[in-house]
């Protein structure tokens, strides 16, 4: 009996300690990667603003590595502000969705990615000429409001470790495709 009380007290202390420690983590998680692409900004921008081209370079697009049973449905427009697609994976709670919300031609794109199993993510692509003027500097940034729940704050804290390599993979594939003649 004494061992059970000690175990329960220890678990309670760990939960409280975890919660108090999580208060030190920010409620917004950020992840960003940047790079340079030896191609004009217009060519890079065209790849970013057309959601149908994302399957060629974006590792988070459901058709990048097709899985059996995943269905992707594009909206009435697939390029520019208002463009969107949804995807459904068998066995999940509902539809995931990507929607481009803001476009500054040749300079930036903002989109929102939602799915019932994850926090809402606002993402940005920012483009500008490289210092030598021969290419395009790109910044890809994710922002997720994770709230006050310790579990989500810990995931937000670990976002770079969990998703940074995948984001780099996407930028490398975008670079390879945009630099093709």
């Amino acid at each position: 009996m004494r061992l059970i009380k000690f175990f329960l007290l220890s678990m309670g202390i760990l939960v409280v300690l975890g919660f108090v420690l999580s208060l030190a983590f920010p409620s917004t998680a950020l992840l960003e990667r940047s790079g340079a692409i030896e191609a004009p900004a217009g060519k890079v921008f065209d790849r970013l603003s057309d959601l149908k081209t994302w399957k060629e370079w974006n590792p988070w697009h459901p058709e990048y590595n097709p899985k059996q049973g995943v269905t992707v449905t594009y909206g009435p427009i697939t390029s520019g502000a208002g463009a969107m697609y949804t995807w459904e994976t068998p066995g999940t709670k509902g539809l995931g969705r990507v929607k481009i919300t803001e476009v500054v031609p040749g300079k930036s794109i903002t989109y929102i990615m939602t799915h019932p199993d994850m926090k809402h993510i606002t993402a940005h692509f920012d483009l500008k000429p490289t210092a030598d003027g021969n290419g395009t500097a790109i910044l890809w940034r994710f922002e997720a409001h994770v709230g006050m729940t310790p579990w989500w704050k810990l995931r937000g804290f670990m976002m770079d470790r969990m998703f940074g390599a995948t984001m780099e993979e996407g930028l490398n594939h975008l670079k390879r495709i945009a630099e093709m003649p």
Side-chain angles (χ1 to χ4, degrees):
M1 186 67 167
R2 190 175 197 180
L3 187 59
I4 293 172
K5 284 182 183 178
F6 177 74
F7 176 75
L8 292 174
L9 181 62
S10 297
M11 293 309 292
I13 290 172
L14 282 175
V15 167
V16 169
L17 213 84
F19 178 75
V20 170
L21 185 61
S22 77
L23 294 175
F25 295 147
S27 61
T28 300
L30 298 173
L31 172 63
E32 62 183 29
R33 292 292 188 271
S34 61
I37 299 174
E38 296 301 319
K43 187 174 182 181
V44 176
F45 184 82
D46 289 344
R47 289 276 175 199
L48 297 174
S49 67
D50 185 355
L51 294 178
K52 285 197 172 183
T53 66
W54 283 25
K55 63 185 171 192
E56 300 167 7
W57 64 268
N58 187 337
W60 286 296
H61 190 285
E63 295 174 320
Y64 179 82
N65 285 322
K67 294 180 180 105
Q68 193 168 10
V70 175
T71 56
V72 177
T73 306
Y74 291 93
I77 59 173
T78 60
S79 185
M84 67 174 278
Y85 69 84
T86 60
W87 75 94
E88 186 171 17
T89 307
T92 59
K93 297 177 193 171
L95 292 176
R97 183 177 82 148
V98 168
K99 182 175 184 179
I100 296 177
T101 57
E102 186 180 334
V103 174
V104 177
K107 295 189 184 281
S108 68
I109 294 171
T110 301
Y111 67 95
I112 296 172
M113 184 168 48
T114 57
H115 193 276
D117 294 333
M118 64 184 201
K119 292 291 186 179
H120 165 98
I121 292 175
T122 301
H124 309 275
F125 293 109
D126 294 314
L127 305 173
K128 64 181 181 180
T130 54
D132 64 7
N134 295 327
T136 304
I138 183 170
L139 173 68
W140 189 4
R141 184 176 70 241
F142 281 2
E143 297 174 21
H145 181 71
V146 293
M148 295 301 291
T149 309
W151 167 250
W152 282 106
K153 287 179 105 176
L154 180 61
R155 283 195 67 165
F157 181 73
M158 299 292 292
M159 198 158 138
D160 189 76
R161 184 169 297 187
M162 292 174 13
F163 304 117
T166 306
M167 187 178 259
E168 286 178 24
E169 175 187 340
L171 283 178
N172 288 334
H173 284 219
L174 178 63
K175 176 181 173 66
R176 183 180 43 81
I177 290 168
E179 289 178 352
M180 287 181 180

